[in-house]
Amino acid sequence: MLTGPTRLEVWGDPIDHSLSPRLHAAAYARLGWDWTYGRRRVDAAGFAAEVDGLDASYRGLSLTFPLKAAAFAAATTRDRPAELTGAVNTIVLTGGERRGFNTDVGGIVADVQAQGVTTLDRARIVGAGATATSALVALAQLGARTVEVVARRPQAAHALAALGERLAVAVSVAAVETVATASVPLTISTLPGGAALDAQAAARLAAGGGLLYDVVYGHWPTALATAWQQAGGRAVDGRGMLLRQAVLQIRAFATGAVTEPLPDEEDVVDVMRSALMGD
């Protein structure tokens, strides 16, 4: 385990709603680590100055909206998910380096597998923003070779189609208003929680069946989740993703990599899950 600094923070704007301090505090207490994890409101314009102003007591940072692109630019090294997505949500400060990671990808993969979807050949993404990029990389890791992206602005999905070529995934794009019903085992929704969604389009998507994995957790149920449940399908929120990506963050903060499990990791995960669910 890396030794030295013990301070960590989550940054974003807004940031008061973040559940990360609850998750990390629970994990550190279970592990017996004397680490502190705070929060700081930082916008994209002020990010570089804030990072440059950190003293030697800081071990690392978690980054949320709107800082993932700025964190990517600030990182001196990046893992492959970060390079593929152009987004960093974790920075480890060690040896004068800023090691950048995208743990959202691994968080999606781990939680989708926990929901019983361990492999698939086709899937759908609803939304074409930054989170959709991580979702596409996650789907590729799960084995998907064809992915339909359903977007309110189809032109915004061009970057996803290009990324699909790098991942050997055939990406097609459909407009929300004209999407046709098609059966897929997994749909990942990356729409913001308050996003309006046409009821007929939601019903057509829900008719495709399979699991709806909605990354939203603060505005539940979303309009799409409601449509899914009305159609008799199963919809889950993004708290599991939040939990699993936080586990990968803590691995990175502890060892400088995401591959080495934490001591008694399953017990740590249980404690974090209880803290997240308010048990």
Side-chain angles (χ1 to χ4, degrees), residues 143-160:
R145 287 297 169 260
T146 61
V147 173
E148 180 184 49
V149 176
V150 180
R152 291 173 290 179
R153 295 183 300 107
Q155 64 272 22
H158 293 327
L160 289 170

Side-chain angles (χ1 to χ4, degrees), residues 92-259:
V92 178
L93 304 168
T94 178
E97 290 187 324
R98 298 170 178 171
R99 300 183 190 175
F101 301 86
N102 180 338
T103 64
D104 287 338
V105 171
I108 293 172
V109 171
D111 197 48
V112 166
Q113 290 175 330
Q115 301 300 329
V117 181
T118 56
T119 186
L120 72 169
D121 61 355
R122 67 193 188 283
R124 175 184 286 131
I125 297 171
V126 183
T131 305
T133 305
S134 292
L136 180 58
V137 177
L139 287 171
Q141 290 188 9
L142 288 163
R145 287 297 169 260
T146 61
V147 173
E148 180 184 49
V149 176
V150 180
R152 291 173 290 179
R153 295 183 300 107
Q155 64 272 22
H158 293 327
L160 289 170
L163 176 58
E165 292 183 3
R166 295 180 64 189
L167 297 168
V169 175
V171 174
S172 61
V173 180
V176 169
E177 297 80 7
T178 61
V179 63
T181 298
S183 176
V184 292
L186 174 66
T187 295
I188 300 180
S189 175
T190 65
L191 296 176
L197 188 63
D198 177 81
Q200 291 184 339
R204 287 197 300 272
L205 289 167
L211 172 69
L212 172 66
Y213 191 86
D214 199 320
V215 300
V216 167
Y217 55 87
H219 298 78
W220 191 260
T222 62
L224 193 55
T226 297
W228 229 264
Q229 292 162 350
Q230 290 174 343
R234 186 163 71 101
V236 298
D237 66 26
R239 287 179 294 177
M241 168 193 168
L242 181 68
L243 167 63
R244 293 293 178 174
Q245 68 82 28
V247 173
L248 297 178
Q249 285 188 331
I250 297 169
R251 288 183 182 182
F253 292 147
T255 68
V258 298
T259 52

Side-chain angles (χ1 to χ4, degrees), residues 15-93:
I15 198 60
D16 289 344
H17 69 288
S18 176
L19 298 175
S20 292
R22 184 189 303 179
L23 281 169
H24 284 255
Y28 302 159
R30 171 61 182 80
L31 290 162
W33 295 350
D34 187 23
W35 291 3
T36 62
Y37 188 99
R39 69 181 84 208
R40 188 185 306 195
R41 183 177 179 180
V42 178
D43 61 19
F47 177 77
E50 292 284 353
V51 171
D52 290 342
L54 294 177
D55 62 35
S57 66
Y58 281 87
R59 174 178 289 269
L61 302 169
S62 304
L63 294 315
T64 186
F65 178 84
L67 301 178
K68 295 179 183 180
F72 178 89
T76 55
T77 65
R78 308 174 187 96
D79 68 353
R80 178 162 172 76
E83 290 286 1
L84 287 168
T85 60
V88 161
N89 74 334
T90 308
I91 287 181
V92 178
L93 304 168

Side-chain angles (χ1 to χ4, degrees), residues 27 30-31 262-273:
R30 171 61 182 80
L31 290 162
L262 300 169
D264 301 319
E265 184 165 282
E266 286 309 308
D267 288 343
V268 175
V269 171
D270 287 343
V271 168
M272 294 171 71
R273 182 180 294 109

